[in-house]
Amino acid sequence: MMTQDLLTQDILLNVAFAVTLTFMNVFVLLGLYGRLNKSIAKTHIQSQQAVSSLLTTLRNEIKTISMRQSTKESEKVAPAISAAQKRFEEAIALAELGVSSENIARETGLSTIDISAIVRFHSKQSLNTAPSPHPS
Protein backbone atom coordinates (compact mmCIF):
# COMPACT_ATOMS: atom_id res chain seq x y z
CA MET A 1 0.00 0.00 0.00
CA MET A 2 2.85 2.27 0.67
CA THR A 3 3.98 1.81 -2.88
CA GLN A 4 0.56 2.84 -4.03
CA ASP A 5 0.69 5.98 -1.86
CA LEU A 6 4.14 6.78 -3.13
CA LEU A 7 2.97 6.40 -6.72
CA THR A 8 -0.06 8.64 -6.12
CA GLN A 9 2.12 11.19 -4.38
CA ASP A 10 4.62 11.04 -7.23
CA ILE A 11 1.86 11.55 -9.80
CA LEU A 12 0.52 14.52 -7.84
CA LEU A 13 3.99 16.03 -7.66
CA ASN A 14 4.43 15.55 -11.42
CA VAL A 15 1.03 17.19 -12.07
CA ALA A 16 1.88 20.06 -9.74
CA PHE A 17 5.25 20.45 -11.44
CA ALA A 18 3.59 20.42 -14.90
CA VAL A 19 1.01 23.01 -13.79
CA THR A 20 3.77 25.19 -12.33
CA LEU A 21 5.77 24.93 -15.57
CA THR A 22 2.67 25.75 -17.59
CA PHE A 23 2.00 28.86 -15.50
CA MET A 24 5.63 29.90 -15.78
CA ASN A 25 5.47 29.43 -19.55
CA VAL A 26 2.28 31.50 -19.69
CA PHE A 27 3.88 34.30 -17.65
CA VAL A 28 6.98 34.25 -19.82
CA LEU A 29 4.86 34.30 -22.95
CA LEU A 30 2.74 37.14 -21.56
CA GLY A 31 5.91 39.07 -20.80
CA LEU A 32 7.19 38.45 -24.32
CA TYR A 33 3.80 39.36 -25.74
CA GLY A 34 3.84 42.61 -23.78
CA ARG A 35 7.32 43.45 -25.01
CA LEU A 36 6.36 42.48 -28.54
CA ASN A 37 3.24 44.63 -28.28
CA LYS A 38 5.32 47.59 -27.11
CA SER A 39 7.78 47.04 -29.94
CA ILE A 40 4.96 46.88 -32.49
CA ALA A 41 3.38 50.02 -31.06
CA LYS A 42 6.71 51.85 -31.18
CA THR A 43 7.29 50.74 -34.79
CA HIS A 44 3.76 51.82 -35.68
CA ILE A 45 4.30 55.30 -34.21
CA GLN A 46 7.62 55.64 -36.03
CA SER A 47 5.96 54.58 -39.29
CA GLN A 48 3.15 57.09 -38.78
CA GLN A 49 5.67 59.86 -38.16
CA ALA A 50 7.65 58.91 -41.26
CA VAL A 51 4.52 58.81 -43.42
CA SER A 52 3.36 62.15 -41.99
CA SER A 53 6.74 63.71 -42.73
CA LEU A 54 6.73 62.34 -46.28
CA LEU A 55 3.17 63.56 -46.79
CA THR A 56 4.14 67.06 -45.67
CA THR A 57 7.11 67.01 -48.02
CA LEU A 58 4.91 65.82 -50.88
CA ARG A 59 2.32 68.54 -50.21
CA ASN A 60 5.06 71.18 -50.22
CA GLU A 61 6.43 69.83 -53.51
CA ILE A 62 2.95 69.92 -55.05
CA LYS A 63 2.52 73.55 -53.90
CA THR A 64 5.91 74.50 -55.34
CA ILE A 65 5.18 72.81 -58.68
CA SER A 66 1.73 74.38 -58.80
CA MET A 67 3.16 77.83 -58.12
CA ARG A 68 5.85 77.37 -60.80
CA GLN A 69 3.23 76.18 -63.29
CA SER A 70 0.96 79.10 -62.47
CA THR A 71 3.84 81.55 -62.89
CA LYS A 72 4.82 80.03 -66.25
CA GLU A 73 1.21 80.19 -67.49
CA SER A 74 0.81 83.81 -66.41
CA GLU A 75 4.11 84.68 -68.12
CA LYS A 76 2.82 83.10 -71.33
CA VAL A 77 -0.57 84.85 -71.13
CA ALA A 78 0.66 88.28 -69.97
CA PRO A 79 2.52 89.24 -73.19
CA ALA A 80 -0.41 88.08 -75.32
CA ILE A 81 -2.85 90.13 -73.28
CA SER A 82 -0.65 93.20 -73.27
CA ALA A 83 -0.07 92.97 -77.05
CA ALA A 84 -3.80 92.65 -77.75
CA GLN A 85 -4.57 95.38 -75.25
CA LYS A 86 -1.98 97.60 -76.92
CA ARG A 87 -3.63 97.06 -80.34
CA PHE A 88 -7.06 97.96 -78.93
CA GLU A 89 -5.69 101.07 -77.22
CA GLU A 90 -4.02 102.10 -80.48
CA ALA A 91 -7.28 101.55 -82.40
CA ILE A 92 -9.21 103.65 -79.87
CA ALA A 93 -6.65 106.46 -80.12
CA LEU A 94 -6.84 106.37 -83.94
CA ALA A 95 -10.67 106.39 -83.84
CA GLU A 96 -10.61 109.39 -81.51
CA LEU A 97 -8.38 111.17 -84.06
CA GLY A 98 -10.95 110.44 -86.77
CA VAL A 99 -8.93 107.86 -88.73
CA SER A 100 -11.01 105.68 -91.05
CA SER A 101 -11.91 102.07 -90.24
CA GLU A 102 -9.78 100.80 -93.14
CA ASN A 103 -6.69 102.65 -91.91
CA ILE A 104 -7.26 101.48 -88.31
CA ALA A 105 -7.50 97.89 -89.59
CA ARG A 106 -4.30 98.29 -91.57
CA GLU A 107 -2.44 99.78 -88.57
CA THR A 108 -3.67 97.46 -85.84
CA GLY A 109 -4.62 94.22 -87.58
CA LEU A 110 -7.86 94.00 -85.59
CA SER A 111 -10.97 92.39 -87.03
CA THR A 112 -13.65 94.40 -88.80
CA ILE A 113 -16.13 93.69 -86.01
CA ASP A 114 -13.75 95.00 -83.34
CA ILE A 115 -12.91 98.09 -85.35
CA SER A 116 -16.56 98.91 -86.10
CA ALA A 117 -17.37 98.76 -82.38
CA ILE A 118 -14.37 100.93 -81.53
CA VAL A 119 -15.23 103.48 -84.22
CA ARG A 120 -18.88 103.49 -83.13
CA PHE A 121 -18.03 104.34 -79.53
CA HIS A 122 -14.77 106.29 -79.83
CA SER A 123 -14.76 108.30 -83.06
CA LYS A 124 -15.45 112.04 -83.01
CA GLN A 125 -18.24 111.61 -85.55
CA SER A 126 -20.17 109.14 -83.41
CA LEU A 127 -19.71 111.33 -80.32
CA ASN A 128 -21.08 114.40 -82.14
CA THR A 129 -24.02 112.56 -83.73
CA ALA A 130 -24.92 110.43 -80.71
CA PRO A 131 -28.57 110.83 -79.71
CA SER A 132 -29.26 112.76 -76.56
CA PRO A 133 -30.13 110.60 -73.56
CA HIS A 134 -33.13 112.92 -72.88
CA PRO A 135 -35.16 113.30 -76.09
CA SER A 136 -37.13 116.53 -76.30
Side-chain angles (χ1 to χ4, degrees), residues 63-74 76:
K63 264 187 208 174
T64 302
I65 291 169
S66 177
M67 288 172 53
R68 280 188 208 145
Q69 187 66 28
S70 177
T71 302
K72 285 180 183 177
E73 287 174 5
S74 66
K76 287 179 186 175

Side-chain angles (χ1 to χ4, degrees), residues 22-134:
T22 303
F23 277 118
M24 287 176 63
N25 283 334
V26 167
F27 289 135
V28 168
L29 289 176
L30 285 176
L32 290 176
Y33 179 75
R35 282 192 220 134
L36 183 63
N37 235 356
K38 287 178 185 175
S39 175
I40 289 171
K42 184 178 178 182
T43 303
H44 179 69
I45 289 170
Q46 289 171 342
S47 297
Q48 276 184 321
Q49 290 170 343
V51 167
S52 177
S53 175
L54 290 172
L55 187 59
T56 300
T57 303
L58 185 59
R59 283 183 180 145
N60 289 338
E61 286 294 319
I62 289 171
K63 264 187 208 174
T64 302
I65 291 169
S66 177
M67 288 172 53
R68 280 188 208 145
Q69 187 66 28
S70 177
T71 302
K72 285 180 183 177
E73 287 174 5
S74 66
E75 287 172 357
K76 287 179 186 175
V77 172
I81 290 173
S82 63
Q85 184 177 1
K86 203 174 200 181
R87 290 188 326 203
F88 275 98
E89 289 171 356
E90 184 180 357
I92 290 169
L94 291 172
E96 288 172 347
L97 291 173
V99 176
S100 70
S101 297
E102 294 81 20
N103 287 337
I104 294 173
R106 194 174 325 113
E107 289 294 320
T108 62
L110 292 175
S111 70
T112 307
I113 294 172
D114 290 335
I115 292 172
S116 65
I118 289 169
V119 168
R120 172 186 262 165
F121 294 107
H122 294 282
S123 72
K124 286 183 180 180
Q125 283 180 329
S126 67
L127 294 176
N128 292 336
T129 60
S132 169
H134 304 288

Side-chain angles (χ1 to χ4, degrees), residues 11-29:
I11 290 174
L12 286 175
L13 284 174
N14 280 335
V15 168
F17 182 70
V19 167
T20 303
L21 280 178
T22 303
F23 277 118
M24 287 176 63
N25 283 334
V26 167
F27 289 135
V28 168
L29 289 176

